[in-house]
Amino acid sequence: MPVFTSSIEVTADYPTIKPSLNLNFARARALDPRITFTRASTATYIGRDGLVKYAGEDEARFDHDPETLESLGLLIEDTRTNSLPYSSDIVGQSNWAKAGVATVAATSITAPDGSTDTVGLLDDGTNGQHTLYDDVSVSNIAAVYTASCWVKEGTKDFAELFANGASGTGTITIAYKYDLVNKTVEYTGAAGFSAGTSATITEYPNGWFRITMTGDVADTATGAGTYRFHIRARTDISGNYQGDNTDGIYIWGPQVELGSFPTSYIPTSGSAVTRAVDLGVINGTSFTDFFNYNEGTYSTKVRINGYNPTGYPRPFMFALQSNPGADFWQLVFNNSGQNFFTETRENTGTPRSNSAVSRAAGEDVIVTSAVKNGEGLTSYYGSSIRTNVDGSLSPSIDSLLFNQYNYNGTISRLSYYPQRLTDAQLQLLTS
């Protein structure tokens, strides 16, 4: 039973032992020195002020919600490529074609990264579309791509992203209209092709929104082709309107990436750029000093940013694992089912897992999982217990790995107790 004092309530079910590993990335916004972190490229993230920040090679990123400024913890992403050769230095670049519009340097408008690299889309006096577009050569026109761009209203309250297979037989147009006042999204592409496409609008500081669009432009087309990316201002009714020589919208940071959801911004200036995968590991004595091979408990709060369309390999946020991964105790996200579960494997036998729980991308996942040799695996997901299954810890486990098989998301916290906590304690740590 709880014990009460005049100012604090102490719950008897709370663990009485301290965790031997206690990583609170959201609070500390820093790496524990026991973690070896690598990423073979620069990358971006959202800082505590909601602005886009830049991280150097092998520098960990600590992400924030751009709307609430909540600290989300350690950002982990797979490798992605921005296929647009000029996401910055847009003005005057021949790669960017224009129809009824000119690009102007709007240096008086602060960009989402705090710079003055904002581009104004200055429409001309014609009656028609006023669009900026770029052609990207792709090896598979039927693949799913995600286009994104930051936009800010000028004289127009609406922006539009659309894509088609440029001069490609058997391709179609997918498109979305973004209301920059009411923060709503509406499909405007080819009729009958909205299924399988998606779009988002996310508010950032200083009146900016990041708008995204996901889908493929193939109807009957296959093989290599051209993906044409468009960004333009529009009215509520139409993408064609009478221009009046004003900046319809402002843009920054356009991106086209192969994948079914957007990831962090990848700047380019002259050629496509690839962001490398984020990897972290604790091993050696730094691992054996906190890990108990007979029993243990971990408690974590994570968030997955997006599921890849293929079922395998399944990404995991982190794993207590042997090298090269024959035996493990890990938190797994299932791409095909869009759910998660915990599992163990010993002596390369059959994996033992608790039943899965559905969780949409962008939602927090709070899990406690406990293993004791001879008793098996038990996990709590929120208030729901996932009953014991056979499972033991392999003596070959020698590392704590962060990110394998293309995980994309954040780790807010991760604690490890060198003891199998009680079911009541497991439930309390997830409440």
Side-chain angles (χ1 to χ4, degrees), residues 28-58:
R29 298 182 178 93
L31 280 184
D32 186 286
R34 289 170 287 188
I35 300 173
T36 299
F37 183 88
T38 58
R39 184 189 58 254
S41 73
T42 60
T44 66
Y45 63 100
I46 307 304
R48 62 178 70 190
D49 57 1
L51 299 180
V52 175
K53 307 292 184 183
Y54 301 87
E57 186 174 325
D58 295 334

Side-chain angles (χ1 to χ4, degrees), residues 121-352:
L121 297 190
L122 175 68
D123 60 38
D124 62 16
T126 61
N127 188 0
Q129 67 170 319
H130 307 276
T131 185
L132 179 70
Y133 61 96
D134 195 1
D135 289 343
V136 177
S137 296
V138 297
S139 60
N140 181 8
I141 196 65
V144 172
Y145 284 83
T146 296
S148 60
C149 189
W150 275 264
V151 297
K152 181 175 181 174
E153 62 180 310
T155 59
K156 298 295 181 290
D157 296 335
F158 297 88
E160 188 169 50
L161 282 176
F162 66 104
N164 58 1
S167 303
T169 302
T171 62
I172 49 92
T173 296
I174 59 171
Y176 282 89
K177 176 182 70 175
Y178 304 83
D179 186 332
L180 305 181
V181 175
N182 297 306
K183 296 182 285 188
T184 58
V185 181
E186 179 183 344
Y187 181 77
T188 56
F193 288 92
S194 60
T197 67
S198 61
T200 65
I201 180 170
T202 304
E203 189 169 7
Y204 279 72
N206 304 318
W208 285 96
F209 296 88
R210 193 186 192 192
I211 59 176
T212 77
M213 177 184 71
T214 298
D216 73 75
V217 297
D219 179 10
T220 60
T222 59
T226 300
Y227 179 102
R228 176 170 286 178
F229 166 91
H230 299 253
I231 175 68
R232 68 180 178 183
R234 58 165 292 152
T235 68
D236 189 12
I237 303 301
S238 176
N240 298 328
Y241 62 89
Q242 177 62 53
D244 56 4
N245 296 295
T246 59
D247 290 345
I249 58 172
Y250 302 101
I251 69 167
W252 183 85
Q255 183 157 304
V256 172
E257 55 190 309
L258 176 65
S260 58
F261 55 90
T263 63
S264 61
Y265 172 50
I266 305 170
T268 66
S269 183
S271 62
V273 172
T274 297
R275 181 193 62 241
V277 63
D278 295 290
L279 296 171
V281 63
I282 299 177
N283 53 20
T285 57
S286 294
F287 177 80
T288 55
D289 283 349
F290 79 79
F291 189 66
N292 181 357
Y293 288 90
N294 296 310
E295 60 180 307
T297 302
Y298 72 70
S299 176
T300 188
K301 178 181 177 182
V302 303
R303 178 182 296 183
I304 188 168
N305 289 342
Y307 291 94
N308 289 305
T310 55
Y312 290 91
R314 302 173 309 200
F316 60 77
M317 173 68 81
F318 59 83
L320 297 151
Q321 192 173 92
S322 63
N323 191 2
D327 299 321
F328 47 71
W329 176 21
Q330 60 193 23
L331 175 60
V332 177
F333 286 86
N334 184 2
N335 286 314
S336 58
Q338 297 200 7
N339 54 41
F340 70 94
F341 53 89
T342 58
E343 68 177 356
T344 63
R345 184 166 72 177
E346 183 184 16
N347 297 326
T348 66
T350 302
R352 305 295 184 180

Side-chain angles (χ1 to χ4, degrees), residues 18-28 30-32 34-35 62 72-74 76 280-282 287 290-291 296-303 316-321 329-331 342 365-370 399-403 410-417 429:
K18 291 183 178 181
S20 53
L21 181 71
N22 193 17
L23 306 174
N24 195 324
F25 298 119
R27 180 181 300 171
L31 280 184
D32 186 286
R34 289 170 287 188
I35 300 173
F62 298 91
L72 301 177
L74 178 65
I76 291 176
V281 63
I282 299 177
F287 177 80
F290 79 79
F291 189 66
T297 302
Y298 72 70
S299 176
T300 188
K301 178 181 177 182
V302 303
R303 178 182 296 183
F316 60 77
M317 173 68 81
F318 59 83
L320 297 151
Q321 192 173 92
W329 176 21
Q330 60 193 23
L331 175 60
T342 58
V365 174
I366 302 175
V367 179
T368 56
S369 181
S399 303
L400 170 57
L401 302 177
F402 298 94
N403 189 19
T410 51
I411 305 177
S412 174
R413 57 175 174 80
L414 172 62
S415 300
Y416 174 85
Y417 298 83
L429 288 174

